[in-house]
mmCIF file of all heavy atoms in Angstrom:
data_model
loop_
_atom_site.group_PDB
_atom_site.id
_atom_site.type_symbol
_atom_site.label_atom_id
_atom_site.label_comp_id
_atom_site.label_asym_id
_atom_site.label_seq_id
_atom_site.Cartn_x
_atom_site.Cartn_y
_atom_site.Cartn_z
ATOM 1 N N LEU A 144 -51.048 52.011 27.925
ATOM 2 C CA LEU A 144 -50.888 53.364 27.544
ATOM 3 C C LEU A 144 -50.341 54.162 28.727
ATOM 4 O O LEU A 144 -50.841 54.035 29.854
ATOM 5 C CB LEU A 144 -52.257 53.964 27.150
ATOM 6 C CG LEU A 144 -52.305 55.406 26.724
ATOM 7 C CD1 LEU A 144 -51.422 55.616 25.461
ATOM 8 C CD2 LEU A 144 -53.728 55.906 26.456
ATOM 9 N N TYR A 145 -49.237 54.902 28.515
ATOM 10 C CA TYR A 145 -48.617 55.687 29.560
ATOM 11 C C TYR A 145 -48.698 57.134 29.179
ATOM 12 O O TYR A 145 -48.540 57.518 28.022
ATOM 13 C CB TYR A 145 -47.135 55.304 29.698
ATOM 14 C CG TYR A 145 -46.910 53.844 30.077
ATOM 15 C CD1 TYR A 145 -46.805 52.864 29.124
ATOM 16 C CD2 TYR A 145 -46.819 53.446 31.399
ATOM 17 C CE1 TYR A 145 -46.582 51.490 29.471
ATOM 18 C CE2 TYR A 145 -46.585 52.129 31.790
ATOM 19 C CZ TYR A 145 -46.480 51.193 30.802
ATOM 20 O OH TYR A 145 -46.259 49.833 31.136
ATOM 21 N N THR A 146 -48.878 58.025 30.244
ATOM 22 C CA THR A 146 -49.037 59.459 29.983
ATOM 23 C C THR A 146 -48.199 60.247 30.989
ATOM 24 O O THR A 146 -47.883 59.825 32.086
ATOM 25 C CB THR A 146 -50.492 59.860 30.102
ATOM 26 O OG1 THR A 146 -50.956 59.711 31.442
ATOM 27 C CG2 THR A 146 -51.380 59.051 29.159
ATOM 28 N N ILE A 147 -47.869 61.473 30.540
ATOM 29 C CA ILE A 147 -47.174 62.418 31.460
ATOM 30 C C ILE A 147 -48.177 63.022 32.428
ATOM 31 O O ILE A 147 -47.946 63.046 33.649
ATOM 32 C CB ILE A 147 -46.500 63.529 30.644
ATOM 33 C CG1 ILE A 147 -45.359 62.943 29.787
ATOM 34 C CG2 ILE A 147 -45.971 64.633 31.561
ATOM 35 C CD1 ILE A 147 -44.647 63.968 28.861
ATOM 36 N N ASP A 148 -49.292 63.489 31.882
ATOM 37 C CA ASP A 148 -50.335 64.120 32.726
ATOM 38 C C ASP A 148 -51.443 63.154 33.005
ATOM 39 O O ASP A 148 -51.676 62.194 32.268
ATOM 40 C CB ASP A 148 -50.898 65.359 32.032
ATOM 41 C CG ASP A 148 -49.788 66.353 31.654
ATOM 42 O OD1 ASP A 148 -48.951 66.656 32.543
ATOM 43 O OD2 ASP A 148 -49.784 66.805 30.469
ATOM 44 N N LEU A 163 -54.327 64.704 24.403
ATOM 45 C CA LEU A 163 -53.233 63.735 24.275
ATOM 46 C C LEU A 163 -52.482 63.922 22.948
ATOM 47 O O LEU A 163 -53.102 63.927 21.883
ATOM 48 C CB LEU A 163 -53.780 62.316 24.324
ATOM 49 C CG LEU A 163 -54.180 61.758 25.711
ATOM 50 C CD1 LEU A 163 -54.523 60.305 25.601
ATOM 51 C CD2 LEU A 163 -53.109 61.943 26.752
ATOM 52 N N ARG A 164 -51.193 64.117 23.051
ATOM 53 C CA ARG A 164 -50.326 64.074 21.855
ATOM 54 C C ARG A 164 -49.644 62.672 21.911
ATOM 55 O O ARG A 164 -48.641 62.499 22.580
ATOM 56 C CB ARG A 164 -49.287 65.217 21.903
ATOM 57 C CG ARG A 164 -49.952 66.609 21.850
ATOM 58 C CD ARG A 164 -48.899 67.722 21.821
ATOM 59 N NE ARG A 164 -48.098 67.740 22.986
ATOM 60 C CZ ARG A 164 -48.411 68.270 24.190
ATOM 61 N NH1 ARG A 164 -49.644 68.793 24.286
ATOM 62 N NH2 ARG A 164 -47.614 68.272 25.210
ATOM 63 N N LEU A 165 -50.271 61.799 21.182
ATOM 64 C CA LEU A 165 -50.051 60.392 21.391
ATOM 65 C C LEU A 165 -48.978 59.855 20.392
ATOM 66 O O LEU A 165 -49.191 59.893 19.183
ATOM 67 C CB LEU A 165 -51.348 59.635 21.231
ATOM 68 C CG LEU A 165 -51.391 58.138 21.496
ATOM 69 C CD1 LEU A 165 -50.940 57.798 22.906
ATOM 70 C CD2 LEU A 165 -52.806 57.632 21.270
ATOM 71 N N ARG A 166 -47.867 59.374 20.928
ATOM 72 C CA ARG A 166 -46.839 58.743 20.094
ATOM 73 C C ARG A 166 -47.327 57.352 19.718
ATOM 74 O O ARG A 166 -47.955 56.646 20.516
ATOM 75 C CB ARG A 166 -45.518 58.656 20.863
ATOM 76 C CG ARG A 166 -44.458 57.882 20.064
ATOM 77 C CD ARG A 166 -44.322 56.475 20.559
ATOM 78 N NE ARG A 166 -43.360 55.698 19.693
ATOM 79 C CZ ARG A 166 -43.012 54.467 19.935
ATOM 80 N NH1 ARG A 166 -43.463 53.803 20.992
ATOM 81 N NH2 ARG A 166 -42.188 53.832 19.144
ATOM 82 N N SER A 167 -47.087 56.984 18.491
ATOM 83 C CA SER A 167 -47.525 55.705 18.028
ATOM 84 C C SER A 167 -46.469 55.070 17.096
ATOM 85 O O SER A 167 -45.465 55.691 16.794
ATOM 86 C CB SER A 167 -48.826 55.808 17.264
ATOM 87 O OG SER A 167 -49.380 54.533 16.980
ATOM 88 N N ILE A 184 -48.826 60.552 16.559
ATOM 89 C CA ILE A 184 -47.551 60.987 15.919
ATOM 90 C C ILE A 184 -46.652 59.772 15.862
ATOM 91 O O ILE A 184 -46.306 59.174 16.884
ATOM 92 C CB ILE A 184 -46.916 62.088 16.721
ATOM 93 C CG1 ILE A 184 -47.808 63.277 16.892
ATOM 94 C CG2 ILE A 184 -45.563 62.485 16.119
ATOM 95 C CD1 ILE A 184 -47.379 64.301 17.912
ATOM 96 N N LEU A 186 -43.369 57.782 15.702
ATOM 97 C CA LEU A 186 -41.962 57.991 16.028
ATOM 98 C C LEU A 186 -41.314 56.673 16.280
ATOM 99 O O LEU A 186 -41.855 55.811 16.942
ATOM 100 C CB LEU A 186 -41.809 58.872 17.267
ATOM 101 C CG LEU A 186 -42.212 60.363 17.240
ATOM 102 C CD1 LEU A 186 -42.173 60.949 18.624
ATOM 103 C CD2 LEU A 186 -41.238 61.128 16.344
ATOM 104 N N PRO A 187 -40.060 56.471 15.842
ATOM 105 C CA PRO A 187 -39.306 55.270 16.213
ATOM 106 C C PRO A 187 -38.948 55.284 17.676
ATOM 107 O O PRO A 187 -38.862 56.341 18.271
ATOM 108 C CB PRO A 187 -38.091 55.295 15.304
ATOM 109 C CG PRO A 187 -37.931 56.729 14.981
ATOM 110 C CD PRO A 187 -39.271 57.306 14.899
ATOM 111 N N THR A 188 -38.687 54.179 18.245
ATOM 112 C CA THR A 188 -38.391 54.027 19.648
ATOM 113 C C THR A 188 -37.201 54.946 20.049
ATOM 114 O O THR A 188 -37.236 55.556 21.130
ATOM 115 C CB THR A 188 -38.018 52.562 20.000
ATOM 116 O OG1 THR A 188 -39.122 51.730 19.608
ATOM 117 C CG2 THR A 188 -37.759 52.390 21.477
ATOM 118 N N THR A 189 -36.218 55.012 19.191
ATOM 119 C CA THR A 189 -34.997 55.754 19.500
ATOM 120 C C THR A 189 -35.281 57.305 19.620
ATOM 121 O O THR A 189 -34.388 57.989 20.196
ATOM 122 C CB THR A 189 -33.915 55.528 18.437
ATOM 123 O OG1 THR A 189 -34.514 55.707 17.161
ATOM 124 C CG2 THR A 189 -33.377 54.101 18.544
ATOM 125 N N ASP A 190 -36.365 57.794 19.123
ATOM 126 C CA ASP A 190 -36.666 59.241 19.141
ATOM 127 C C ASP A 190 -37.642 59.622 20.290
ATOM 128 O O ASP A 190 -37.938 60.804 20.453
ATOM 129 C CB ASP A 190 -37.241 59.655 17.789
ATOM 130 C CG ASP A 190 -36.216 59.622 16.663
ATOM 131 O OD1 ASP A 190 -35.053 59.408 16.966
ATOM 132 O OD2 ASP A 190 -36.666 59.713 15.487
ATOM 133 N N VAL A 191 -38.201 58.642 20.987
ATOM 134 C CA VAL A 191 -39.267 58.917 21.915
ATOM 135 C C VAL A 191 -38.736 59.714 23.197
ATOM 136 O O VAL A 191 -39.434 60.571 23.651
ATOM 137 C CB VAL A 191 -39.963 57.655 22.341
ATOM 138 C CG1 VAL A 191 -41.021 57.929 23.441
ATOM 139 C CG2 VAL A 191 -40.638 56.991 21.150
ATOM 140 N N TYR A 192 -37.567 59.371 23.678
ATOM 141 C CA TYR A 192 -37.038 60.046 24.862
ATOM 142 C C TYR A 192 -37.016 61.545 24.591
ATOM 143 O O TYR A 192 -37.526 62.320 25.435
ATOM 144 C CB TYR A 192 -35.652 59.525 25.231
ATOM 145 C CG TYR A 192 -35.086 60.185 26.437
ATOM 146 C CD1 TYR A 192 -35.237 59.581 27.710
ATOM 147 C CD2 TYR A 192 -34.354 61.383 26.391
ATOM 148 C CE1 TYR A 192 -34.701 60.193 28.849
ATOM 149 C CE2 TYR A 192 -33.832 62.015 27.490
ATOM 150 C CZ TYR A 192 -33.991 61.348 28.754
ATOM 151 O OH TYR A 192 -33.475 61.937 29.884
ATOM 152 N N ALA A 193 -36.413 61.988 23.516
ATOM 153 C CA ALA A 193 -36.293 63.412 23.222
ATOM 154 C C ALA A 193 -37.743 64.003 23.042
ATOM 155 O O ALA A 193 -37.971 65.158 23.452
ATOM 156 C CB ALA A 193 -35.477 63.657 22.014
ATOM 157 N N ALA A 194 -38.636 63.255 22.412
ATOM 158 C CA ALA A 194 -40.008 63.774 22.171
ATOM 159 C C ALA A 194 -40.742 63.965 23.524
ATOM 160 O O ALA A 194 -41.465 64.935 23.656
ATOM 161 C CB ALA A 194 -40.764 62.830 21.281
ATOM 162 N N LEU A 195 -40.511 63.044 24.451
ATOM 163 C CA LEU A 195 -41.140 63.205 25.791
ATOM 164 C C LEU A 195 -40.533 64.379 26.536
ATOM 165 O O LEU A 195 -41.220 65.175 27.166
ATOM 166 C CB LEU A 195 -40.969 61.902 26.569
ATOM 167 C CG LEU A 195 -41.818 60.724 26.106
ATOM 168 C CD1 LEU A 195 -41.373 59.435 26.858
ATOM 169 C CD2 LEU A 195 -43.342 60.929 26.386
ATOM 170 N N GLU A 196 -39.234 64.469 26.429
ATOM 171 C CA GLU A 196 -38.481 65.564 27.161
ATOM 172 C C GLU A 196 -38.939 66.910 26.678
ATOM 173 O O GLU A 196 -39.066 67.859 27.506
ATOM 174 C CB GLU A 196 -36.996 65.350 26.933
ATOM 175 C CG GLU A 196 -36.113 66.314 27.706
ATOM 176 C CD GLU A 196 -34.651 66.026 27.502
ATOM 177 O OE1 GLU A 196 -34.260 65.658 26.362
ATOM 178 O OE2 GLU A 196 -33.873 66.196 28.459
ATOM 179 N N ARG A 197 -39.178 67.051 25.389
ATOM 180 C CA ARG A 197 -39.607 68.333 24.812
ATOM 181 C C ARG A 197 -41.109 68.506 24.746
ATOM 182 O O ARG A 197 -41.596 69.477 24.207
ATOM 183 C CB ARG A 197 -38.993 68.465 23.448
ATOM 184 C CG ARG A 197 -37.465 68.433 23.435
ATOM 185 C CD ARG A 197 -36.888 68.269 22.048
ATOM 186 N NE ARG A 197 -35.474 68.089 22.060
ATOM 187 C CZ ARG A 197 -34.738 67.700 20.977
ATOM 188 N NH1 ARG A 197 -35.347 67.424 19.857
ATOM 189 N NH2 ARG A 197 -33.441 67.519 21.108
ATOM 190 N N SER A 198 -41.865 67.517 25.242
ATOM 191 C CA SER A 198 -43.276 67.538 25.215
ATOM 192 C C SER A 198 -43.897 67.563 23.794
ATOM 193 O O SER A 198 -44.969 68.090 23.576
ATOM 194 C CB SER A 198 -43.839 68.720 26.023
ATOM 195 O OG SER A 198 -43.580 68.542 27.410
ATOM 196 N N VAL A 199 -43.104 67.066 22.824
ATOM 197 C CA VAL A 199 -43.656 66.891 21.494
ATOM 198 C C VAL A 199 -44.802 65.887 21.558
ATOM 199 O O VAL A 199 -45.811 66.027 20.896
ATOM 200 C CB VAL A 199 -42.564 66.363 20.521
ATOM 201 C CG1 VAL A 199 -43.142 66.025 19.152
ATOM 202 C CG2 VAL A 199 -41.456 67.392 20.409
ATOM 203 N N VAL A 200 -44.636 64.871 22.388
ATOM 204 C CA VAL A 200 -45.721 63.909 22.741
ATOM 205 C C VAL A 200 -45.844 63.897 24.249
ATOM 206 O O VAL A 200 -44.856 64.122 24.957
ATOM 207 C CB VAL A 200 -45.455 62.491 22.165
ATOM 208 C CG1 VAL A 200 -45.402 62.518 20.640
ATOM 209 C CG2 VAL A 200 -44.177 61.887 22.720
ATOM 210 N N ASN A 201 -47.039 63.550 24.734
ATOM 211 C CA ASN A 201 -47.200 63.444 26.158
ATOM 212 C C ASN A 201 -47.843 62.132 26.559
ATOM 213 O O ASN A 201 -48.281 61.957 27.687
ATOM 214 C CB ASN A 201 -47.991 64.633 26.770
ATOM 215 C CG ASN A 201 -49.386 64.758 26.143
ATOM 216 O OD1 ASN A 201 -49.845 63.851 25.428
ATOM 217 N ND2 ASN A 201 -50.042 65.838 26.411
ATOM 218 N N ALA A 202 -47.899 61.171 25.612
ATOM 219 C CA ALA A 202 -48.424 59.852 25.868
ATOM 220 C C ALA A 202 -47.875 58.881 24.834
ATOM 221 O O ALA A 202 -47.561 59.234 23.747
ATOM 222 C CB ALA A 202 -49.936 59.892 25.828
ATOM 223 N N THR A 203 -47.729 57.597 25.259
ATOM 224 C CA THR A 203 -47.197 56.591 24.378
ATOM 225 C C THR A 203 -47.670 55.243 24.818
ATOM 226 O O THR A 203 -47.922 55.006 26.014
ATOM 227 C CB THR A 203 -45.683 56.617 24.300
ATOM 228 O OG1 THR A 203 -45.230 55.646 23.394
ATOM 229 C CG2 THR A 203 -45.050 56.272 25.654
ATOM 230 N N GLY A 204 -47.801 54.358 23.901
ATOM 231 C CA GLY A 204 -47.966 52.940 24.267
ATOM 232 C C GLY A 204 -46.591 52.314 24.425
ATOM 233 O O GLY A 204 -45.605 52.714 23.781
ATOM 234 N N TRP A 205 -46.527 51.339 25.315
ATOM 235 C CA TRP A 205 -45.296 50.551 25.442
ATOM 236 C C TRP A 205 -45.583 49.289 26.209
ATOM 237 O O TRP A 205 -46.651 49.189 26.839
ATOM 238 C CB TRP A 205 -44.164 51.346 26.161
ATOM 239 C CG TRP A 205 -42.824 50.646 26.103
ATOM 240 C CD1 TRP A 205 -42.204 50.029 27.131
ATOM 241 C CD2 TRP A 205 -42.030 50.436 24.947
ATOM 242 N NE1 TRP A 205 -41.021 49.480 26.683
ATOM 243 C CE2 TRP A 205 -40.899 49.686 25.324
ATOM 244 C CE3 TRP A 205 -42.140 50.790 23.613
ATOM 245 C CZ2 TRP A 205 -39.890 49.294 24.468
ATOM 246 C CZ3 TRP A 205 -41.156 50.423 22.705
ATOM 247 C CH2 TRP A 205 -40.067 49.700 23.141
ATOM 248 N N GLY A 209 -39.407 47.334 30.267
ATOM 249 C CA GLY A 209 -38.435 48.122 29.522
ATOM 250 C C GLY A 209 -38.553 49.628 29.622
ATOM 251 O O GLY A 209 -37.703 50.317 29.094
ATOM 252 N N LEU A 210 -39.575 50.093 30.343
ATOM 253 C CA LEU A 210 -39.713 51.578 30.403
ATOM 254 C C LEU A 210 -38.552 52.205 31.135
ATOM 255 O O LEU A 210 -38.058 53.233 30.677
ATOM 256 C CB LEU A 210 -41.022 51.856 31.190
ATOM 257 C CG LEU A 210 -41.771 53.105 30.788
ATOM 258 C CD1 LEU A 210 -42.319 52.948 29.356
ATOM 259 C CD2 LEU A 210 -42.920 53.379 31.746
ATOM 260 N N LYS A 211 -38.058 51.516 32.170
ATOM 261 C CA LYS A 211 -36.862 52.079 32.893
ATOM 262 C C LYS A 211 -35.593 51.956 32.030
ATOM 263 O O LYS A 211 -34.739 52.804 32.106
ATOM 264 C CB LYS A 211 -36.711 51.351 34.205
ATOM 265 C CG LYS A 211 -37.663 51.786 35.315
ATOM 266 C CD LYS A 211 -37.370 51.056 36.579
ATOM 267 C CE LYS A 211 -38.214 51.570 37.754
ATOM 268 N NZ LYS A 211 -37.777 52.922 38.189
ATOM 269 N N ASP A 212 -35.508 50.873 31.275
ATOM 270 C CA ASP A 212 -34.305 50.728 30.408
ATOM 271 C C ASP A 212 -34.185 51.858 29.408
ATOM 272 O O ASP A 212 -33.101 52.263 29.082
ATOM 273 C CB ASP A 212 -34.448 49.415 29.633
ATOM 274 C CG ASP A 212 -34.436 48.180 30.517
ATOM 275 O OD1 ASP A 212 -33.919 48.249 31.608
ATOM 276 O OD2 ASP A 212 -34.984 47.130 30.063
ATOM 277 N N LEU A 213 -35.323 52.366 28.996
ATOM 278 C CA LEU A 213 -35.331 53.476 28.028
ATOM 279 C C LEU A 213 -35.351 54.834 28.726
ATOM 280 O O LEU A 213 -35.227 55.872 28.046
ATOM 281 C CB LEU A 213 -36.609 53.419 27.158
ATOM 282 C CG LEU A 213 -36.721 52.158 26.272
ATOM 283 C CD1 LEU A 213 -38.124 51.977 25.785
ATOM 284 C CD2 LEU A 213 -35.783 52.336 25.031
ATOM 285 N N ASN A 214 -35.482 54.856 30.052
ATOM 286 C CA ASN A 214 -35.522 56.112 30.851
ATOM 287 C C ASN A 214 -36.733 56.942 30.564
ATOM 288 O O ASN A 214 -36.774 58.110 30.919
ATOM 289 C CB ASN A 214 -34.250 56.924 30.629
ATOM 290 C CG ASN A 214 -33.031 56.276 31.205
ATOM 291 O OD1 ASN A 214 -33.053 55.771 32.334
ATOM 292 N ND2 ASN A 214 -31.945 56.319 30.498
ATOM 293 N N TRP A 215 -37.766 56.342 29.995
ATOM 294 C CA TRP A 215 -39.047 57.099 29.752
ATOM 295 C C TRP A 215 -39.742 57.324 31.054
ATOM 296 O O TRP A 215 -40.599 58.221 31.113
ATOM 297 C CB TRP A 215 -39.907 56.307 28.760
ATOM 298 C CG TRP A 215 -39.350 56.147 27.379
ATOM 299 C CD1 TRP A 215 -38.215 56.653 26.900
ATOM 300 C CD2 TRP A 215 -39.963 55.404 26.331
ATOM 301 N NE1 TRP A 215 -38.027 56.275 25.590
ATOM 302 C CE2 TRP A 215 -39.117 55.519 25.206
ATOM 303 C CE3 TRP A 215 -41.147 54.663 26.178
ATOM 304 C CZ2 TRP A 215 -39.388 54.889 24.002
ATOM 305 C CZ3 TRP A 215 -41.417 54.052 25.005
ATOM 306 C CH2 TRP A 215 -40.578 54.209 23.911
ATOM 307 N N ASP A 216 -39.499 56.545 32.059
ATOM 308 C CA ASP A 216 -40.150 56.730 33.321
ATOM 309 C C ASP A 216 -39.803 58.053 33.999
ATOM 310 O O ASP A 216 -40.456 58.466 34.969
ATOM 311 C CB ASP A 216 -39.782 55.554 34.319
ATOM 312 C CG ASP A 216 -38.304 55.464 34.566
ATOM 313 O OD1 ASP A 216 -37.552 55.428 33.580
ATOM 314 O OD2 ASP A 216 -37.965 55.359 35.767
ATOM 315 N N ARG A 217 -38.783 58.754 33.503
ATOM 316 C CA ARG A 217 -38.495 60.060 34.013
ATOM 317 C C ARG A 217 -39.598 61.063 33.682
ATOM 318 O O ARG A 217 -39.718 62.094 34.341
ATOM 319 C CB ARG A 217 -37.190 60.558 33.361
ATOM 320 C CG ARG A 217 -35.950 59.757 33.754
ATOM 321 C CD ARG A 217 -34.690 60.394 33.133
ATOM 322 N NE ARG A 217 -33.479 59.623 33.501
ATOM 323 C CZ ARG A 217 -32.276 59.942 33.088
ATOM 324 N NH1 ARG A 217 -32.075 61.028 32.342
ATOM 325 N NH2 ARG A 217 -31.192 59.176 33.420
ATOM 326 N N PHE A 218 -40.378 60.769 32.654
ATOM 327 C CA PHE A 218 -41.406 61.694 32.205
ATOM 328 C C PHE A 218 -42.828 61.151 32.390
ATOM 329 O O PHE A 218 -43.781 61.883 32.625
ATOM 330 C CB PHE A 218 -41.221 62.016 30.732
ATOM 331 C CG PHE A 218 -39.753 62.406 30.383
ATOM 332 C CD1 PHE A 218 -38.959 61.530 29.700
ATOM 333 C CD2 PHE A 218 -39.255 63.650 30.769
ATOM 334 C CE1 PHE A 218 -37.625 61.898 29.411
ATOM 335 C CE2 PHE A 218 -37.946 63.995 30.524
ATOM 336 C CZ PHE A 218 -37.136 63.081 29.817
ATOM 337 N N LEU A 219 -42.972 59.844 32.240
ATOM 338 C CA LEU A 219 -44.308 59.222 32.244
ATOM 339 C C LEU A 219 -44.744 58.951 33.714
ATOM 340 O O LEU A 219 -44.045 58.262 34.421
ATOM 341 C CB LEU A 219 -44.309 57.953 31.377
ATOM 342 C CG LEU A 219 -44.003 58.161 29.942
ATOM 343 C CD1 LEU A 219 -43.722 56.888 29.249
ATOM 344 C CD2 LEU A 219 -45.110 58.916 29.253
ATOM 345 N N ASN A 220 -45.870 59.465 34.084
ATOM 346 C CA ASN A 220 -46.358 59.385 35.454
ATOM 347 C C ASN A 220 -47.583 58.538 35.675
ATOM 348 O O ASN A 220 -47.922 58.248 36.811
ATOM 349 C CB ASN A 220 -46.612 60.788 35.981
ATOM 350 C CG ASN A 220 -45.376 61.713 35.919
ATOM 351 O OD1 ASN A 220 -44.294 61.377 36.373
ATOM 352 N ND2 ASN A 220 -45.577 62.874 35.273
ATOM 353 N N TYR A 221 -48.253 58.233 34.603
ATOM 354 C CA TYR A 221 -49.516 57.471 34.722
ATOM 355 C C TYR A 221 -49.568 56.280 33.727
ATOM 356 O O TYR A 221 -49.037 56.352 32.648
ATOM 357 C CB TYR A 221 -50.719 58.390 34.454
ATOM 358 C CG TYR A 221 -50.876 59.528 35.384
ATOM 359 C CD1 TYR A 221 -50.183 60.750 35.216
ATOM 360 C CD2 TYR A 221 -51.657 59.425 36.543
ATOM 361 C CE1 TYR A 221 -50.276 61.792 36.097
ATOM 362 C CE2 TYR A 221 -51.788 60.449 37.452
ATOM 363 C CZ TYR A 221 -51.101 61.639 37.229
ATOM 364 O OH TYR A 221 -51.217 62.658 38.111
ATOM 365 N N MET A 283 -45.456 55.946 40.011
ATOM 366 C CA MET A 283 -46.340 55.890 38.900
ATOM 367 C C MET A 283 -47.771 55.572 39.370
ATOM 368 O O MET A 283 -47.961 54.620 40.125
ATOM 369 C CB MET A 283 -45.908 54.891 37.833
ATOM 370 C CG MET A 283 -46.915 54.736 36.631
ATOM 371 S SD MET A 283 -46.202 53.831 35.267
ATOM 372 C CE MET A 283 -45.070 55.017 34.535
#
Side-chain angles (χ1 to χ4, degrees):
L144 180 62
Y145 299 89
T146 65
I147 293 178
D148 304 313
L163 285 187
R164 295 183 298 280
L165 186 57
R166 175 259 174 176
S167 187
I184 301 168
L186 290 171
T188 304
T189 48
D190 293 347
V191 176
Y192 181 93
L195 289 169
E196 185 177 37
R197 299 168 187 168
S198 294
V199 173
V200 297
N201 60 10
T203 183
W205 189 251
L210 213 65
K211 283 181 173 290
D212 297 335
L213 295 162
N214 291 317
W215 296 356
D216 59 309
R217 295 183 181 181
F218 312 106
L219 298 168
N220 302 308
Y221 296 87
M283 178 168 284

